[in-house]
Structures are given as structure tokens and as C-alpha cells.
Amino acid sequence: MKKRILKRIGCSLVILSSLLLGTACLNPSNAQDVLFYKSTDHIGSLCAPWSNSYDHVTFDFENEKYRFESDSQGILHLKSTDGKTDYFSFIPSFVSDDVFSSTSYYVKKIYTSNPDLQFLEIMAIQDTNFIWTVGYWLIGKHNNNWVTYVSYDALKSMGFSDGDYLKSEVNPYRSGKMILDINAYDPDPIRIELYWNNTTNRIEMRKYDTEI
């Protein structure tokens, strides 16, 4: 009888500890084990080749070297350092015919609490009479292959529209979160949280309405 009481007390303490930590042990899928904790400054800002900005940059990702390069049309490519293997082409959703407009790519490397899980964020910005986002990709490596975890089209299912401006935040106020702000300077912006699902091994999205 005494052993049964002690066993029940021990189980209750485990459940209580889990609740205090915010990770319900009866439903482990609710826990976010992977935290977003920092992003680099831009790996590179790549503009059209006729601009004053450089048109390629070499960087490290998961102990290997790669190269971002823009072609004669201003389209960004992810390549091997020798330029022979083209892994990805990042084509904007819209390119203006206005000679005074330009498309720029901004690239960030994003780190998580799992050292084996890193991402690259690529954002394409069109600058005409106003600045707006014309491309978005969050990519990484899975089974040694490059994959897209979040795309421009996927964001449309969360309320993003052509002509909107997108801003990303990694680990704001040490929250361990990655937040995308759609039209952040509007009175009622849309906020999206990106989080890693350990079961499906992919990034998922949800509306983020709570103030940080």
C-alpha cells in the first residue's frame, strides 16, 4: 500500500513538472523542442548585375561551401562554389518593366537550438514607387538535398497578398520564435509564427496574435 502511494505521488510530480515547464507529457507533439535563436546579418544583398552591388557571394552552410550568384537577368541562383551545379533558382513573382525599378535579394542564415538544423532565408524585394516583397523562400537541407520549407505561395494561405511587404524576426525578446510580419507598419498587421514540427520534420505556420 505504501509503495502504491509513493508511486502515485511520483507520477503526480512528473505531471506537475511537465505542466510547469509548459510541455504536457501526455501530448509531446505540443512541445517545440527546436528554438530559433539567431540569424546572421545578411549573407549578401544581391542586386541586378548592372547595379553597383556585387553579383555573387560565397558562404558556409553545414560545413560546406556554396555560392549565391545572380545571372544576366538578375535572377538569383544557389550553386556549388565552382558554379557548375545549380541547386536552386529564385524567380520573383513579379518583375517590373520600369527602368527605374530594381529587384534585390536579401539572404540570412538562421540558426536553431539544434546545431544540425539550419536554414537560409531568401527574400526578393521590388523597389518601384514603393518597396514590396516579390519572393520568399526558407530553405534547408534534408537527407543531403536542398528543400523549400516555406515559399511565397505558401504564405498566401496565411493572408499574404501580392503587393504586401514582409519582415522577419528571429528570436525577438529571446522568445525562441521566428515571426513573419506582413505589412508590419499597418495598424492591423498579420503576424505568422514559423515552428519546427519534430514529427513531420518540416516547418509549419500559424497565426501569431499574442504580443511578444
Side-chain angles (χ1 to χ4, degrees):
M1 184 68 178
K2 185 176 181 181
K3 288 183 178 179
R4 288 182 181 177
I5 293 173
L6 290 175
K7 188 175 180 179
R8 289 178 181 174
I9 292 173
C11 183
S12 298
L13 289 173
V14 170
I15 294 173
L16 179 59
S17 298
S18 298
L19 291 173
L20 289 173
L21 290 172
T23 57
C25 62
L26 298 178
N27 188 5
S29 63
N30 287 338
Q32 180 175 322
D33 296 328
V34 175
L35 302 177
F36 294 87
Y37 77 93
K38 75 171 183 177
S39 65
T40 61
D41 292 333
H42 295 144
I43 288 177
S45 303
L46 290 95
C47 304
W50 56 82
S51 71
N52 293 325
S53 179
Y54 54 85
D55 63 352
H56 70 272
V57 60
T58 302
F59 65 97
D60 293 311
F61 188 85
E62 294 185 355
N63 300 317
E64 293 187 42
K65 288 188 178 296
Y66 297 93
R67 173 187 177 108
F68 274 118
E69 176 181 295
S70 57
D71 61 22
S72 60
Q73 302 300 314
I75 303 300
L76 185 68
H77 300 265
L78 172 61
K79 294 185 175 184
S80 56
T81 50
D82 59 10
K84 294 181 180 179
T85 304
D86 193 336
Y87 299 105
F88 257 104
S89 297
F90 303 96
I91 301 174
S93 63
F94 173 82
V95 177
S96 174
D97 294 330
D98 188 342
V99 295
F100 295 104
S101 70
S102 63
T103 300
S104 301
Y105 291 90
Y106 297 91
V107 183
K108 290 181 183 179
K109 184 177 179 180
I110 297 171
Y111 300 84
T112 73
S113 54
N114 181 348
D116 297 322
L117 189 62
Q118 300 176 1
F119 302 98
L120 291 174
E121 182 190 60
I122 300 94
M123 197 177 299
I125 303 297
Q126 182 81 39
D127 186 359
T128 50
N129 293 325
F130 60 94
I131 297 174
W132 50 299
T133 302
V134 293
Y136 184 89
W137 302 264
L138 188 70
I139 66 173
K141 297 195 74 175
H142 179 67
N143 293 332
N144 207 34
N145 294 313
W146 286 98
V147 297
T148 302
Y149 288 106
V150 180
S151 67
Y152 183 89
D153 288 337
L155 290 175
K156 288 186 175 181
S157 67
M158 301 297 292
F160 183 81
S161 301
D162 294 331
D164 285 344
Y165 177 72
L166 195 66
K167 185 182 76 169
S168 69
E169 299 177 274
V170 176
N171 198 19
Y173 300 97
R174 298 186 180 180
S175 62
K177 300 180 183 297
M178 181 169 178
I179 306 297
L180 299 181
D181 289 314
I182 301 175
N183 299 327
Y185 303 108
D186 282 2
D188 189 23
I190 298 174
R191 311 191 79 196
I192 302 170
E193 179 187 353
L194 306 183
Y195 65 97
W196 180 256
N197 187 317
N198 283 318
T199 304
T200 59
N201 287 323
R202 67 181 185 184
I203 292 284
E204 296 189 357
M205 300 183 289
R206 58 191 171 202
K207 290 287 181 68
Y208 186 69
D209 298 322
T210 305
E211 290 294 332
I212 298 174

